[in-house]
Amino acid sequence: MTSRTFDERVGAQVFFKCENLQRTGAFKIRGGYNAVHQLSPQQKERGVLTYSSGNHAQAIALAGRLLGVDATIVMPENAPEVKLNATRGYGAEVVTYDPEETVREDLGRKLADERGLTLIPPYDHPDVVAGQGTAGDELFEEVGDLDALLVCLGGGGLLSGCALAARHHAPDCTVIGVEPEAGDDGARSFRTSELQSVHNPDTVADGARTPYLGPEVTFPLVLEYVDDIVTVSDDALIRTMHFVWERMKQVIEPTGALAAAALNDGVVEGDGRRIGVIVSGGNVDLERAATLFEKIR
């Protein structure tokens, strides 16, 4: 999608890749389906497990339903209700935990070992990264060369996959990851070239509350193929989310607004460039969205 009003606001020609219109309402179905599809018949028979705040949870749940694979999903008890309900609706077993007391990765590995399930992490997995990168691949195929590509950053699956797509289609394209200020572990990791972490960051972007980039897959790819990582405030996210709802008529979640917010808030300058923006998802409780919008009135 494009928006003339947004282009005028930021001084660029912006192309939005609207993954909020994807099945399950987010880009995660790309990587989740690919990862489950690649499993051996024996692994599919035993079932899969993942941990996620919501979008990857729904992706694995739906992939399991489509491919006939039982799915167990570890989710924080404070995950958005819309994501919890949708995950259960796809037929997955949901195991909730208190994020203040439990590390989801530890709980996920424990349950997977006890039940003999194949663990598919939300981002640090080659098949997940390959699937997520198809969002960037499609954007370049649809709009041609871009001067810059902005991608939201949580664990790095979407960013690293899209960075690979950018290097294939437009080697001179500047690839920038965008994360919330409270969850700036990616920016700190990028600048120090050493993996940094953050514990349960307080941000409206629930899809970017990951503790760290993937040490095995996504962090090395980010270091090699990404040009910069920037952060935006929660207020900037809410303002951008409100603009997209009101002017572009697209329902997006706070995490889905990360990349666009970097432009809208002036963290990244438009400079008359052709810029791609990945809108990562649109799974947000409507009551919560209304509460967020009240903050900017």
Side-chain angles (χ1 to χ4, degrees):
M1 291 188 70
T2 59
S3 167
R4 183 175 59 187
T5 302
F6 191 82
D7 288 354
E8 292 172 351
R9 286 167 68 105
V10 305
Q13 187 177 10
V14 182
F15 301 90
F16 296 89
K17 180 63 170 163
C18 295
E19 291 296 290
N20 57 303
L21 301 176
Q22 183 62 264
R23 279 194 85 167
T24 74
F27 73 95
K28 291 283 191 176
I29 186 61
R30 297 175 180 272
Y33 186 91
N34 189 48
V36 176
H37 180 70
Q38 300 294 339
L39 296 177
S40 70
Q42 293 77 16
Q43 289 172 316
K44 291 177 179 176
E45 178 68 24
R46 289 194 298 268
V48 298
L49 179 143
T50 195
Y51 41 81
S52 166
S53 65
N55 286 338
H56 181 68
Q58 293 174 76
I60 294 297
L62 177 58
R65 181 173 183 174
L66 294 173
L67 294 168
V69 178
D70 290 337
T72 301
I73 316 294
V74 175
M75 300 182 71
E77 59 190 17
N78 62 350
E81 196 68 25
V82 64
K83 296 181 180 181
L84 285 164
N85 291 339
T87 303
R88 293 188 177 104
Y90 289 128
E93 176 190 352
V94 174
V95 178
T96 60
Y97 67 95
D98 182 351
E100 294 293 334
E101 298 180 356
T102 303
V103 177
R104 66 179 191 174
E105 288 83 358
D106 294 341
L107 177 58
R109 284 190 291 267
K110 178 176 180 291
L111 287 175
D113 290 342
E114 290 176 351
R115 301 183 182 188
L117 307 176
T118 297
L119 177 62
I120 300 177
Y123 47 86
D124 203 33
H125 190 291
D127 292 332
V128 171
V129 170
Q132 316 305 31
T134 60
D137 187 53
E138 289 176 7
L139 179 60
F140 282 101
E141 289 180 347
E142 291 163 2
V143 305
D145 284 353
L146 294 169
D147 299 307
L149 177 64
L150 304 183
V151 186
C152 74
L153 174 58
L158 180 63
L159 176 59
S160 55
C162 287
L164 287 167
R167 292 297 169 255
H168 173 73
H169 288 280
D172 294 328
C173 176
T174 299
V175 179
I176 301 173
V178 186
E179 60 185 352
E181 287 179 351
D184 67 341
D185 58 291
R188 289 185 283 113
S189 299
F190 184 78
R191 281 158 180 67
T192 62
S193 296
E194 295 182 0
L195 191 62
Q196 308 288 321
S197 64
V198 62
H199 175 66
N200 194 26
D202 183 15
T203 173
V204 296
D206 63 274
R209 291 178 186 153
T210 49
Y212 42 75
L213 301 181
E216 302 296 327
V217 180
T218 65
F219 184 42
L221 289 174
V222 166
L223 286 180
E224 184 169 357
Y225 295 107
V226 173
D227 296 292
D228 197 9
I229 295 176
V230 299
T231 64
V232 295
S233 69
D234 274 11
D235 284 347
L237 286 178
I238 298 169
R239 289 194 300 270
T240 303
M241 180 178 158
H242 185 271
F243 173 88
V244 173
W245 280 50
E246 185 173 67
R247 299 304 299 267
M248 296 179 64
K249 316 306 178 189
Q250 293 296 306
V251 174
I252 68 171
E253 62 187 285
T255 309
L258 276 165
L263 276 173
N264 194 41
D265 209 47
V267 175
V268 174
E269 297 293 336
D271 293 331
R273 295 179 292 173
R274 288 171 52 88
I275 300 178
V277 166
I278 306 293
V279 178
S280 61
N283 293 317
V284 59
D285 290 314
L286 297 183
E287 290 183 4
R288 179 168 182 259
T291 300
L292 293 176
F293 291 155
E294 282 296 323
K295 294 181 180 182
I296 60 173
R297 293 191 184 280

